[in-house]
Amino acid sequence: MNTDSAAHRGAGRAPHPSASARPITGGTVRRTLLRTALTGAAALGAGLGAARPATAATPTRDTHPRPGTPAEALRELAAGNRRWRAFRERHPHEDPALRRTLATGQHPFAVVLGCIDSRVPPELVFDQGLGDLMTVRTAGEVLDEAVLGSVAYGVLELAIPLVVVLGHQSCGAVRAAVEAEESGTKLPAHMQYLVDQIGPAIDHGEEGDARIDATVSANVRLVRSRLAAEPELAARIGTGKLAIVGARYELTTQAVHRLA
């Protein structure tokens, strides 16, 4: 992940998965059933797409392997964000041949748990394409059972080596949580759940906008620590097969940087 703020123009070629399927180990009967259901859905999608006319474009195929370790995945995301910041995006992995290949399976190299904010789409800020990232987005990166299950699926079933918890500057969900605590008001409908989850991360050592900004980072760290404490994820971290990192996207500079 980027730690510098200057745009780098010498980023390497973005890796992409090969067409061959990766072996999946340690699956239970329940996971096998889930995997079978998803494969069937992919085959159905391929059948629906077969009726569409193919374009005349000749795709340029990647020859580099998919990132297979946490360090390789981090380097690829960092390189993509440098391209984004320098307005040198490649918009990779969108050609017709790749789309047909992806209809039969997926091999993403990172899970990104980010906010729903429309200004922070992970595929754009990391300059990645189809099949590269598995993204989960909730307001303020808030966790619930569906989010935990989605992250676990990516890591345990697809052998993804990296999870990034991606917060961002000027997060509206964090602001709402801070303001709700200060005023003592309750938010309508299910939004109160969001502020309740973010509440423990509120930084009381700051005031005003500085409190909101500090809480953005504290919330990322809190969510990251909760994910890392999940037993099955922690086991993969312990063997070096997985890294879970926290990061921030700055709207003013378009830079992503890791949080300690």
Side-chain angles (χ1 to χ4, degrees):
M1 200 70 59
N2 299 331
T3 55
D4 59 313
S5 59
H8 178 73
R9 300 178 182 270
R13 178 70 173 168
H16 196 265
S18 64
S20 60
R22 290 173 55 91
I24 300 174
T25 59
T28 62
V29 173
R30 181 172 56 188
R31 290 179 182 170
T32 301
L33 291 173
L34 177 59
R35 213 158 41 237
T36 301
L38 290 174
T39 302
L44 176 60
L48 292 173
R52 298 177 183 173
T55 66
T58 301
T60 300
R61 303 312 306 271
D62 286 323
T63 58
H64 295 288
R66 164 191 183 267
T69 68
E72 290 171 354
L74 279 167
R75 283 195 294 269
E76 172 54 29
L77 293 183
N81 182 243
R82 287 195 294 268
R83 294 193 300 270
W84 167 256
R85 286 152 45 201
F87 301 98
R88 297 171 65 91
E89 303 96 320
R90 293 176 180 166
H91 302 291
H93 313 143
E94 299 177 359
D95 63 78
L98 178 63
R99 296 185 195 189
R100 290 191 291 272
T101 298
L102 288 173
T104 61
Q106 60 170 330
H107 310 285
F109 67 85
V111 175
V112 180
L113 170 57
C115 184
I116 61 171
D117 195 292
S118 63
R119 301 166 293 179
V120 195
E123 288 84 357
L124 292 184
V125 302
F126 290 119
D127 192 29
Q128 300 301 314
L130 295 172
D132 292 330
L133 305 180
M134 179 171 283
T135 58
V136 185
R137 300 179 68 178
T138 64
E141 309 88 57
V142 164
L143 297 176
D144 62 14
E145 284 299 309
V147 174
L148 287 168
S150 299
V151 173
Y153 177 81
V155 171
L156 303 178
E157 294 297 317
L158 300 182
I160 293 174
L162 177 66
V163 176
V164 177
V165 181
L166 183 63
H168 67 93
Q169 179 184 20
S170 302
C171 179
V174 169
R175 176 179 289 276
V178 171
E179 292 179 348
E181 184 193 65
E182 292 174 348
S183 65
T185 59
K186 295 288 185 180
L187 273 67
H190 300 284
M191 288 187 287
Q192 184 62 41
Y193 175 81
L194 300 175
V195 302
D196 289 344
Q197 293 297 306
I198 296 171
I202 294 176
D203 189 328
H204 295 98
E206 301 288 349
E207 299 290 340
D209 288 342
R211 171 174 291 178
I212 295 168
D213 191 70
T215 300
V216 167
S217 297
N219 184 58
V220 168
R221 294 186 181 100
L222 177 62
V223 173
R224 185 260 166 210
S225 67
R226 287 175 174 173
L227 285 174
E230 289 292 312
E232 289 184 293
L233 302 185
R236 293 185 71 85
I237 293 172
T239 61
K241 295 179 180 178
L242 173 69
I244 302 178
V245 303
R248 271 183 59 138
Y249 177 71
E250 306 301 335
L251 296 172
T252 51
T253 63
Q254 294 87 57
V256 176
H257 60 91
R258 286 184 64 176
L259 296 174

